[in-house]
Amino acid sequence: MTNKRPLSCEKRHYVHSASLCLAVMGLAASPIYAQPVTFSEALDLAEEKAPGIQARGLQIEAAQSEAIAADQLPDPKLSVDLLDTRIAGPFEFSPRPGRNGFPRQRIGISQDVPSIAKRRARAEQASADIIAAEAGKKDEIQNVRLYSALAWVDLYYAHRRLNILKILQDSLDDLTNTVASRLESGYSRPAQAFDPERLTAELADRRARREADVEIAKATLSRWIRIESPEIAGKAPEFELDREALLTSLELLPLLQIREARVKRAEADVDLARAGKNIDYSINASYAHRRPEYGEYVSVGVTINLPIFAKKRQNPRIAASMLKSEAERLRLEDLRRQLIAELQSDLASNRAYKENWLRSQNTLLPLAKKQAEMDRISYAAGRIDLGTALNAAVVFAEAEIDLLDRERTFVRDTVRIKFTYDRNLP
């Protein structure tokens, strides 16, 4: 019977580390199962898990919290005087403590009271900040839904383009299987035997690019919906663009609401500058204690600011605030005109994309399909060579890809317009 020696500490540590590394490698090598996501599910997931939306919500809470204190009175001030002694004049020595050292102690409190107009203007500023924060959250939600929608559409069509190339590969394989028999029968020249291999290599290059497009689209969609390996489920969305409805909903866009909040904030700044001409005052009260033979004192007073130099102080500030307010109004009008022009331009481009897609669907692709079928029949009958038949198959596949690209351009542009300008979306 052999005795097994116990492992040393170093060996036990090595075995434990090796086991841990193997376990981690096993987890890393394990496949990440894809999760199918529909278009609407992708939008809901993106809105639910977007950190930017959560950050905007916190900004709203911060603005609401600041609004509570916006129109409140400032904190009162406490003053304490401990040393009140003479530093000039006749000096009289006295052994009694406090005669010339600390003859008086004083404690007082004061409260500044800004004018009601200033407090109201500050409340309006805080209200404008809340409106801007709420509009900022709406804008963030709109952007998240827009970008996640475009990412889903990109992945959907990337998969479909890749599938077309796979079908083309099968078609080339069918034609390649006939090369040997046609060479033996003399219907094809020996040099044509290399055509399938050349086209297969070119097709492999295109498939590699399309597979990269799929991975890129997956990574982009994963960034928004927080799913490691998303897959497409369901069909592409279908939206109808109503020009009049989109123009009407422009006023509800968060971008305009943010700009309108800035205008409101600028108007509140004007009110605050004008309130600088109003009188502010401060109330103060104090209690003073001296030696018993001098007694104790209570004093109450009021301090009033006098805005008597308005020409060089308040008036320039009011003028500057009014100019800034007018500039914000002009920026709002400029943004409104810009959005209207961009919408009209986008709708015109969208109509062109739709016409191109329908033309390819109704005319170009059917012609390419008929040509490919006729060339295949002619090749089977021996009336055309292999190269012509292969090129016909490639041309038909390219027509399908062209149709798909036109469809993707139209659908993607429609989704972009819908999620950019329409505020009636769920």
Side-chain angles (χ1 to χ4, degrees), residues 171-235:
S171 178
L172 294 180
D173 292 340
D174 294 339
L175 293 174
T176 302
N177 294 332
T178 65
V179 172
S181 61
R182 293 182 67 86
L183 287 175
E184 293 177 358
S185 62
Y187 284 107
S188 298
R189 292 179 288 105
Q192 292 179 343
F194 302 102
D195 289 342
E197 185 176 355
R198 175 180 56 81
L199 289 176
T200 300
E202 294 176 355
L203 183 60
D205 292 339
R206 298 180 67 176
R207 286 185 60 180
R209 291 194 295 269
R210 297 307 182 186
E211 289 172 353
D213 292 340
V214 170
E215 295 302 320
I216 293 173
K218 279 187 178 182
T220 305
L221 183 58
S222 176
R223 176 253 188 273
W224 294 107
I225 65 177
R226 302 293 295 275
I227 293 179
E228 187 67 24
S229 183
E231 291 293 345
I232 295 300
K235 297 181 179 181

Side-chain angles (χ1 to χ4, degrees), residues 273-414:
R274 287 173 174 168
K277 288 186 174 182
N278 295 350
I279 295 177
D280 300 333
Y281 59 93
S282 175
I283 302 174
N284 55 79
S286 63
Y287 164 78
H289 170 72
R290 303 189 71 174
R291 295 202 323 252
E293 60 268 28
Y294 293 114
E296 299 177 350
Y297 300 87
V298 174
S299 63
V300 178
V302 177
T303 302
I304 301 175
N305 71 319
L306 301 175
I308 58 177
F309 300 104
K311 185 176 180 180
K312 292 186 177 181
R313 294 178 60 84
Q314 286 79 15
N315 289 349
R317 293 173 181 171
I318 295 173
S321 299
M322 293 178 65
L323 292 174
K324 292 179 181 179
S325 177
E326 182 63 22
E328 290 295 339
R329 278 192 290 269
L330 292 175
R331 290 192 184 100
L332 173 61
E333 181 61 25
D334 181 67
L335 178 60
R336 184 179 288 109
R337 294 182 182 183
Q338 176 186 344
L339 291 174
I340 293 174
E342 290 179 353
L343 174 58
Q344 294 176 342
S345 176
D346 290 341
L347 290 176
S349 299
N350 187 263
R351 286 194 299 269
Y353 294 148
K354 185 176 182 179
E355 292 175 359
N356 293 340
W357 169 49
L358 294 177
R359 187 180 302 110
S360 178
Q361 183 182 42
N362 299 330
T363 304
L364 299 180
L365 183 63
L367 290 176
K369 183 177 181 180
K370 291 179 181 179
Q371 182 180 358
E373 291 175 351
M374 294 177 63
D375 287 341
R376 180 178 288 274
I377 294 172
S378 299
Y379 175 74
R383 290 193 294 269
I384 62 174
D385 57 11
L386 176 63
T388 305
L390 291 173
N391 289 332
V394 172
V395 169
F396 176 62
E398 289 179 346
E400 286 186 313
I401 293 177
D402 179 68
L403 172 63
L404 190 64
D405 288 340
R406 294 187 184 197
E407 179 184 347
R408 171 188 175 272
T409 301
F410 168 67
V411 173
R412 194 179 194 276
D413 189 67
T414 302

Side-chain angles (χ1 to χ4, degrees), residues 134-139 142 244-260 332 335-336 339-340 419-425:
E134 292 174 345
K137 183 178 179 179
K138 294 178 182 178
D139 183 61
Q142 183 181 17
E244 297 302 325
L246 291 174
L247 287 173
T248 303
S249 65
L250 276 181
E251 293 296 328
L252 302 177
L253 290 181
L255 284 177
L256 284 176
Q257 293 178 355
I258 293 174
R259 185 62 65 181
E260 289 171 354
L332 173 61
L335 178 60
R336 184 179 288 109
L339 291 174
I340 293 174
F419 281 78
T420 300
Y421 300 101
D422 193 354
R423 292 307 303 155
N424 296 322
L425 291 173

